[in-house]
Amino acid sequence: MARRFPSGDPRFFAASQLALTQMSQGGIYDHLGGGYARYSVDERWLVPHFEKMLYDNAQILDSLALDFAAQQKSALPRAGGRNGGLAGPRNDDPGGRFCSSLDADSEGEEGRFYVWSLDEIRDVLGEDDAAFFAARYDVTAQGNF
């Protein structure tokens, strides 16, 4: 049976797949912590506005699931899995309350808790994967933007 698209036009799927791929490979996706920032603050979409909203991420997760269902495979399985974790432990506050967003400002500084140092990337990914990641995303000991 052929896949039905909301518009009836399979070009809808091609456009949404391209958008999801670009979003998931760019700067608004948190490749290490999971989840998507609301938008970028530069024209290259490298530097995110360091704020993650649960409702934005829920809609993106729904789109990733539709992408997977339409193809029966996905170029973005890791993004979908990591994005689903946004509602997990990192989004609970120490008092046990559930939070629907992660603020851009942390201790008076934009993105303080979102920026990863090269050493933190090595701790999460291991030496070999961190070297690959750093080369792909221009990460240096001084940062990448």
Side-chain angles (χ1 to χ4, degrees), residues 40-52:
S40 175
V41 297
D42 72 315
E43 68 280 353
R44 292 180 45 219
W45 284 73
L46 173 66
V47 183
H49 173 64
F50 294 100
E51 179 176 55
K52 297 178 191 173

Side-chain angles (χ1 to χ4, degrees), residues 58 105 134 144:
D105 296 322
N144 69 337

Side-chain angles (χ1 to χ4, degrees), residues 8-87:
D9 187 337
R11 290 178 297 177
F12 166 81
F13 172 69
S16 65
Q17 184 183 36
L18 176 61
L20 289 169
T21 299
Q22 296 294 74
M23 289 168 53
S24 298
Q25 293 176 351
I28 67 167
Y29 179 65
D30 183 344
H31 297 270
L32 299 174
Y36 294 81
R38 299 194 80 195
Y39 56 87
S40 175
V41 297
D42 72 315
E43 68 280 353
R44 292 180 45 219
W45 284 73
L46 173 66
V47 183
H49 173 64
F50 294 100
E51 179 176 55
K52 297 178 191 173
M53 306 300 287
L54 185 58
Y55 59 84
D56 290 336
N57 280 269
Q59 291 176 31
I60 293 169
L61 186 58
D62 182 55
S63 295
L64 289 166
L66 289 172
D67 173 66
F68 180 83
Q71 300 187 77
Q72 293 304 306
K73 66 180 181 66
S74 179
L76 312 169
R78 185 159 185 205
R82 302 280 304 190
N83 194 44
L86 183 65

Side-chain angles (χ1 to χ4, degrees), residues 10 15-16 20 27 29 73 77 87 106-107 109-111 113 119 136:
S16 65
L20 289 169
Y29 179 65
K73 66 180 181 66
S106 306
E107 297 180 2
E109 186 179 330
E110 171 89 12
F113 297 129
D119 287 337
R136 171 69 172 88

Side-chain angles (χ1 to χ4, degrees), residues 93-141:
D93 85 338
R97 296 170 296 246
F98 184 78
C99 301
S100 63
S101 66
L102 297 173
D103 195 2
D105 296 322
S106 306
E107 297 180 2
E109 186 179 330
E110 171 89 12
R112 179 182 173 103
F113 297 129
Y114 289 98
V115 178
W116 294 77
S117 70
L118 186 54
D119 287 337
E120 289 171 322
I121 293 170
R122 287 183 185 124
D123 288 344
V124 170
L125 298 180
E127 199 64 43
D128 292 341
D129 288 341
F132 176 81
F133 182 90
R136 171 69 172 88
Y137 292 101
D138 299 322
V139 177
T140 68

